[in-house]
Amino acid sequence: MQHRELALKWLNTVGKEHVQTFQDNFAAAFDISACVLTLSGETLTVWSNESLLCHYLSSREGSHCRLQRQRALQKMLQRNKTVVETCYAGLVSVYTPVYMGEEIVAAFFAGAVSAGEVAGELGRRFQVPAADMDQILQIAGLLSSILKMLSAVQNGELPQAAPETAGLLAAALVEKYHLSEREVTVVQHILAGESNKTIAESLYISEKTVKTHIGNVFKKLQVRDRLQVALLCKELEASL
C-alpha cells in the first residue's frame, strides 16, 4: 500500500474531524501553523492558522518550498524521530512522525515561526509570530509525546514497566537527594554515557537547559563531574 493510502487510512481510523479539531486547537494554543502532511509533502488536512508568509512564498517560489519540505520529511524518516528545521526565509518548523503500527505514514507539521530575525520587511508585512528555540523544542516534545501516545492506544499497547532496580534508583534519588523527575531523567541519560547534545535531542530541550539540569544535579548530589555521578549511583544502587 502506498504511503498516501496509509496516511488516509490513519486519518480515517482516528477520524478526520478529530484530527482537524486537535490541529486547530494546537495551532491556536501556540500561535503556530499546523497541518498533517503525506511523506511527499502533500497536505491531508486543512491548514490551521496558515502562515501568510509561507502562503506568499509558496505562491512565488513553490518548487523551492516543496523541495525544502521534502528534505525535512526525508530527514524525519531517516532519523525516525521529530526534526526541527529552519527554511531559507528563517521560519522554524517541526516535523513529527505519525505512525500506523511500526511504520511512519505521515507527518504532523507545526511551526512557521521566527526564532530570530526573519527578513525585516517580510516579517513585519506578514506578521510572523516569534518563539524562542526553547519554546519550539517544547512544542516538538509535546507533539511527539501526543502522537506516540495515540499510536500506542491504536496498537493496543500497554506501557512497559521500568526494570525494578532502575525504578528503585530513581526513587532513591528523589527521596534522598530531592532530585526532580526531569533531573532523574537527565541522570539516566548521563549513566547511558550520552553527551549534552544527545540528551537535548532526546528530551527536546536546548543544550543550555541540559547544562542547567546537570548543574542542579551536581549541586544536589554534591559531586563535581559525570564520573562521580555514575559512582554515586552505583553505590546507591548496590545499597537498595
Side-chain angles (χ1 to χ4, degrees):
M1 189 180 293
Q2 297 299 314
H3 282 135
R4 186 178 186 282
E5 294 173 336
L6 284 173
L8 287 172
K9 183 178 179 181
W10 172 84
L11 195 60
N12 291 328
T13 300
V14 177
K16 189 170 184 177
E17 290 184 3
H18 294 310
V19 174
Q20 188 70 51
T21 298
F22 165 74
Q23 179 186 294
D24 291 342
N25 290 335
F26 195 85
F30 295 103
D31 191 22
I32 56 175
S33 298
C35 187
V36 177
L37 304 171
T38 67
L39 296 181
S40 62
E42 176 189 352
T43 57
L44 283 175
T45 53
V46 178
W47 279 101
S48 300
N49 195 27
E50 183 179 9
S51 165
L52 295 177
L53 179 54
C54 274
H55 183 79
Y56 170 77
L57 293 175
S58 293
S59 66
R60 294 171 60 89
E61 304 177 38
S63 59
H64 195 134
C65 293
R66 283 193 297 274
L67 182 60
Q68 284 206 323
R69 186 178 296 173
Q70 287 166 357
R71 285 175 177 169
L73 290 167
Q74 188 60 35
K75 184 182 294 186
M76 180 196 76
L77 282 170
Q78 290 172 345
R79 296 184 179 181
N80 195 29
K81 61 186 289 188
T82 296
V83 297
V84 178
E85 290 290 296
T86 303
C87 76
Y88 68 95
L91 299 180
V92 183
S93 299
V94 173
Y95 295 79
T96 298
V98 172
Y99 291 90
M100 176 169 279
E102 298 296 321
E103 186 173 1
I104 298 175
V105 297
F108 196 104
F109 171 99
V113 299
S114 169
E117 288 293 326
V118 177
E121 178 58 31
L122 286 177
R124 289 188 295 272
R125 178 179 172 187
F126 293 100
Q127 300 179 323
V128 175
D132 61 41
M133 191 54 71
D134 278 348
Q135 290 174 314
I136 294 169
L137 290 172
Q138 286 172 0
I139 290 171
L142 176 60
L143 191 54
S144 180
S145 297
I146 290 170
L147 290 173
K148 284 180 180 177
M149 181 173 61
L150 177 60
S151 176
V153 171
Q154 283 181 292
N155 296 333
E157 298 173 1
L158 294 175
Q160 296 296 313
E164 184 178 357
T165 53
L168 291 174
L169 175 61
L173 288 170
V174 172
E175 181 178 354
K176 186 172 181 179
Y177 296 99
H178 308 295
L179 266 62
S180 68
E181 183 178 343
R182 177 62 92 181
E183 288 164 354
V184 170
T185 300
V186 169
V187 168
Q188 290 169 339
H189 284 277
I190 289 174
L191 296 179
E194 296 181 2
S195 66
N196 287 358
K197 182 178 180 181
T198 301
I199 296 172
E201 290 176 349
S202 298
L203 301 180
Y204 299 104
I205 57 179
S206 67
E207 287 189 58
K208 181 180 178 181
T209 302
V210 171
K211 290 178 182 178
T212 298
H213 286 315
I214 291 176
N216 291 337
V217 167
F218 285 179
K219 184 176 181 180
K220 290 181 179 181
L221 298 184
Q222 297 183 353
V223 299
R224 294 190 303 274
D225 55 38
R226 290 167 177 251
L227 177 59
Q228 289 187 336
V229 171
L231 291 174
L232 183 149
C233 288
K234 186 175 181 180
E235 291 177 2
L236 185 59
E237 197 170 29
S239 69
L240 299 175

